[in-house]
Every structure is written in C-alpha cells, then in structure tokens.
C-alpha cells in the first residue's frame, strides 16, 4: 500500500514493528547519559519509591570514554518473545506487520569523524523516523549508538518510495561532545549533572547541532505538536518547520518532556487525548486543552518486574500509557496494566491486551516499538480549527 499516515488513531493497515534481536547491552557515554538524564539521575520520586536506583555516577563517561552496561540474557529472550507476541496480535487484527533488518552482530560499532559507539538494534522504531502523510522523514539522532539505526529500515522505506512516498533524511549531526546543549540536564531539579560534566574538545566541534527524534511529535492531521527541551531540538524544529511550510502546522511546546512526547500525551481520536497528569494537560497548547482527556491511573509498583541495581532503568513508570491505537475505538494496551485497560473500556474502547514485560529496560512501550506507515483514510485534516 502507499504510505499514508497523518495521525495516531485512523484504522491501522501497515506498521513497522521493531526488532529486539541481539540487544545485549547499552553503551553509556555522553550522548546516552544526556538523553536518559531524567532516568539516570536520582530525581524521580516514583523511581526512588519503587525501584533500586543507579545512584553512582558512571565513571566511564568522563573523559569521553564509554562503558558497557550488559542486559541479562533472560530479559533479552523475554523481550524477543513479547515482541513476537505483538507481531501476532497485530497480524490477527488484520494489520500488515513489517520488520526492520535485524542487528546481525552485537559487537558491531559505528564510527564517524568524531567518535565511535556500539550499535543497538532497531527496536524503538518510533524514535528516529517521522511519518507525515506521504513522507518518511528520518530524524537526526541524539544517541550515538543509534546513529545509523534507520538503515535497518531501508528496505521498507525504499519499497514505500517505489510506491510514491517522499523520503527525506534530515541533516546529520557531527555529534561531538560540544554539539549537545546540556541545559536540560544541568537545569533540572536533581542538581548539577555531574556525570555529564566533562565534554571533550574535538577538532570537529561546530556548536550546537540539530538533534531531534520523530517521537517528540504528536501527529494530529495537519497539526503537529512538537516537544522542545534543548537548543538541539529547537534547531531541528526550525528545519522541520521550513521543510513542511504550507503542508503542516507546528505547535511547539517547551519542556513538556525530556525528549519524547508519547509517555506524556497521545491522541486516541479527534477530540480525545490520553494525558499523563492534569499538570501536563495545562502545559498543552490552547486548542488541545479543549479536548476531552483521559488520565491513566497512577502506575503501581506491582505493574513492573523487580530489577537489580545493575539493571539500567530507562523509562519512567508512566511508560504504559504509551499505547498503540488500532482504530478510533480499539487500543492495544500492555496486559501488565489492567487498571489502564479498565479505564479505557469504561470509556467505550475495545482493549487488545499484549504482553510487554521489560519496557523499562529497553526504553519503550507499544507506541515506541511501532511506526505506523498506513492508516486508512487519514489526511491532513484541521482538527484544531
Ligand atoms: N518513543 C519512545 N521511545 N518513548 C519513550 C518515552 C519514555 C519516557 N522518556 C518515559 O520515561 O516515560
């Protein structure tokens, strides 16, 4: 089918589902620690209440060095099992499921002019690509390990391109230590970001660069809500605005999330949002505040597996609001979160439960693991007017 996806709720026909193969470690270095600052710093109340924390700074991040943080084999196997379960559930709903090329070798590294980093598999496929209507836009990565991640999707993108889609790659950053605007981490309530305080000079320094993820955008037909938290995001959004001029309208929201917007707010259908908390609702732009809102129940400790101190936790406990809409009345929800399923059912939704145990270790829920490429009848409609 032709690429056609303007929103998160129109009937889903084709979707890319991430691949978990060979996800054996995270590599902690400056870009990783900055990206996951909210989780790696010890500032979240809920985290401290329920979960063992990584409380010591990562010594390896200093001086431009990286350290490997292995993921236990059992979790990797369970993740793969859960992802295959998602594929089956989507297929049984009549959705065509496309898969990226798998990471064939977990010792693979990517090397550029300024640095090298261990490659991770294309699991959170929502993050590095923005599908806007008939266009695929590969966004400029923020984590070095993910620099060429969209290449795992090349076959899929080339097929859509043959069918008539536009295919665009945003400018790639050099991504030296000094390319990153550290103000989000430095200014946050957890205090100075000690463990990322040591950017190394590079002959390839060019100042702050565009860095930005597709998952920072909430797609609403003709309108796009975009989370901006750093100068890197703002520069990329400037690019996007110029590129989309006349086709889409961008609404910037500042500091709604660290990066990705999809554990803060999701659109379930025109006029109805799933929003993390009433405080987040207040930060939304005017026209969206008029929409009806569902607030999910507060996450509970027993919604999650208990991890050890050396297991890196990469998401907040709100990750399960990261649901995937199959159509305006059907939503795929993590079965570990029956409270959320009940709330949605009471609002008239059909809930399709799927198993997804280790979303906190791998940085994403059902929405993050998927990239919807065809949603029937979706169009650049004005839902905010
Ligand atoms: N597209 C994604 N990978 N989204 C995941 C966002 C997770 C968010 N940072 C949280 O901790 O709740």
């Amino acid at each position: 089918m032709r690429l056609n996806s303007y929103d998160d709720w129109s009937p889903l026909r084709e979707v890319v589902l991430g691949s978990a193969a060979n996800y054996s470690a995270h590599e902690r270095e400056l870009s990783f620690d900055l990206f996951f600052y909210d989780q790696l710093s010890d500032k979240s109340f809920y985290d401290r209440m329920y979960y063992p924390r990584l409380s010591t700074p990562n010594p390896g991040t200093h001086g431009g060095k990286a350290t490997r943080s292995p993921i236990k084999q059992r979790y990797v196997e369970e993740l793969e099992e859960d992802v295959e379960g998602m594929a089956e559930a989507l297929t049984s709903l009549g959705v065509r499921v496309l898969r990226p090329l798998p990471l064939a070798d977990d010792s693979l590294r990517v090397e550029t002019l300024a640095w090298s980093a261990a490659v991770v598999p294309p699991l959170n496929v929502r993050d590095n690509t923005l599908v806007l209507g008939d266009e695929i836009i590969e966004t400029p990565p923020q984590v070095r390990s993910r620099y060429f991640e969209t290449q795992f999707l090349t076959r899929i993108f080339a097929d859509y391109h043959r069918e008539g889609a536009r295919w665009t790659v945003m400018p790639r950053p050099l991504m030296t230590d000094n390319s990153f605007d550290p103000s989000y981490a430095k200014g946050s309530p957890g205090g100075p970001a000690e463990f990322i305080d040591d950017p190394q000079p590079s002959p390839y320094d060019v100042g702050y660069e565009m860095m930005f993820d597709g998952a920072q955008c909430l797609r609403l037909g003709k309108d796009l809500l975009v989370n901006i938290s750093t100068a890197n995001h703002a520069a990329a959004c400037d690019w996007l605005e110029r590129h989309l001029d006349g086709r889409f309208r961008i609404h910037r929201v500042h500091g709604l999330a660290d990066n990705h917007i999809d554990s803060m707010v999701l659109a379930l259908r025109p006029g109805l949002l799933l929003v993390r908390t009433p405080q987040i609702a207040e930060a939304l732009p005017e026209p969206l505040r008029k929409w009806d809102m569902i607030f999910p129940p507060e996450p509970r400790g027993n919604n999650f597996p208990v991890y050890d101190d050396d297991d890196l936790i990469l998401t907040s406990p709100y990750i399960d609001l990261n649901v995937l809409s199959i159509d305006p009345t059907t939503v795929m929800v993590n079965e570990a979160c029956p409270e959320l399923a009940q709330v949605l059912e009471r609002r008239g939704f059909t809930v399709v439960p799927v198993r997804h145990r280790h979303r906190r270790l791998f940085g994403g829920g059902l929405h993050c693991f998927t990239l919807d490429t065809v949603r029937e009848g979706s169009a650049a409609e004005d839902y905010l007017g």
Side-chain angles (χ1 to χ4, degrees):
M1 277 189 239
R2 272 178 92 109
L3 188 86
N4 188 70
S5 180
Y6 287 85
D7 58 56
D8 267 354
W9 60 76
S10 294
L12 184 63
R13 295 291 173 245
E14 293 185 1
V15 74
V16 186
L17 173 67
S19 159
N22 280 317
Y23 212 142
S24 57
H26 301 296
E27 185 167 275
R28 293 199 58 189
E29 44 73 45
L30 182 130
S31 74
F32 182 95
D33 282 7
L34 266 178
F35 188 82
F36 291 107
Y37 176 75
D38 273 358
Q39 301 309 316
L40 299 175
S41 62
D42 198 17
K43 83 184 173 71
S44 161
F45 168 71
Y46 290 101
D47 283 3
R48 261 177 285 142
M49 204 156 74
Y50 294 126
Y51 307 101
R53 298 304 309 149
L54 180 91
S55 50
T56 44
N58 169 27
T61 301
H62 289 273
K65 287 191 210 72
T67 50
R68 194 180 132 88
S69 175
I71 304 167
K72 297 185 177 82
Q73 185 56 28
R74 173 163 81 86
Y75 298 146
V76 182
E77 282 164 15
E78 289 177 349
L79 173 74
E80 290 201 54
E81 201 183 313
D82 291 353
V83 172
E84 295 323 306
M86 289 168 208
E88 279 164 33
L90 285 161
T91 306
S92 72
L93 291 163
V95 179
R96 181 165 171 242
V97 179
L98 308 166
R99 304 305 297 275
L101 302 169
L103 172 62
D105 172 359
D106 70 353
S107 66
L108 202 66
R109 296 187 70 79
V110 43
E111 190 158 2
T112 71
L113 288 177
W115 46 265
S116 90
V119 177
V120 291
L123 177 60
N124 285 284
V125 288
R126 177 77 53 186
D127 299 356
N128 292 339
T129 303
L130 181 62
V131 174
L132 284 182
D134 67 347
E135 182 168 7
I136 294 161
I137 302 177
E138 298 182 31
T139 51
Q142 311 192 56
V143 177
R144 288 171 177 150
S145 289
R146 308 186 66 181
Y147 200 76
F148 288 124
E149 194 172 301
T150 47
Q151 294 202 350
F152 292 105
L153 282 80
T154 296
R155 195 148 67 192
I156 296 169
F157 293 167
D159 283 347
Y160 281 119
H161 183 254
R162 267 189 292 276
E163 301 275 336
R166 307 180 213 220
W167 183 9
T168 305
V169 180
M170 286 179 71
R172 305 272 104 180
L174 281 146
M175 238 180 178
T176 68
D177 288 3
N178 292 302
S179 299
F180 297 87
D181 167 14
S183 57
Y184 178 86
K186 293 255 172 82
S188 54
E194 223 182 273
F195 58 87
I196 46 164
D197 250 350
D198 198 15
Q200 300 294 298
S202 157
Y204 301 107
D205 285 341
V206 290
Y208 294 157
E209 295 183 273
M210 291 182 213
M211 289 187 239
F212 177 78
D213 283 356
Q216 288 175 229
C217 304
L218 176 69
R219 303 170 311 142
L220 305 158
K222 191 177 178 51
D223 293 277
L224 215 54
L225 183 65
V226 178
N227 176 57
I228 308 289
S229 293
T230 65
N232 306 111
H233 301 162
C237 195
D238 290 345
W239 184 96
L240 203 58
E241 207 159 40
R242 227 168 284 168
H243 180 73
L244 299 174
D245 189 35
R247 292 192 283 146
F248 293 90
R249 277 189 308 236
I250 288 187
H251 308 261
R252 295 179 193 226
V253 45
H254 293 273
L256 190 74
D258 48 358
N259 300 285
H260 301 154
I261 204 166
D262 56 358
S263 75
M264 296 292 175
V265 55
L266 284 178
L268 298 176
R269 58 177 171 244
L272 181 62
L273 300 172
L274 181 61
V275 186
R276 186 190 281 208
T277 60
Q279 292 89 302
I280 295 294
E282 275 166 36
L284 296 175
E286 232 297 287
L288 274 180
R289 287 207 300 271
K290 293 198 214 106
W291 285 28
D292 196 7
M293 296 182 193
I294 297 178
F295 298 104
E298 282 288 304
R300 301 196 190 150
N302 63 8
N303 294 136
F304 301 99
V306 174
Y307 296 115
D308 293 332
D309 274 346
D310 60 347
D311 295 319
L312 273 194
I313 304 280
L314 298 184
T315 78
S316 72
Y318 288 92
I319 190 62
D320 288 327
L321 81 83
N322 189 265
V323 298
L324 178 69
S325 289
I326 305 299
D327 65 40
T329 58
T330 312
V331 185
M332 200 174 252
V333 177
N334 194 340
E335 68 171 27
C337 216
E339 302 88 0
L340 175 59
Q342 269 165 23
V343 169
L344 292 168
E345 275 165 357
R346 259 186 262 130
R347 295 291 296 247
F349 284 94
T350 302
V351 170
V352 181
V354 291
R355 194 176 202 196
H356 182 12
R357 285 164 283 185
H358 301 301
R359 60 272 195 216
R360 302 199 77 205
L361 296 182
F362 294 94
L366 309 175
H367 191 258
C368 315
F369 280 18
T370 49
L371 181 69
D372 33 313
T373 48
V374 182
R375 285 194 181 263
E376 196 177 295
S378 71
E381 266 182 57
D382 182 354
Y383 296 103
L384 300 186

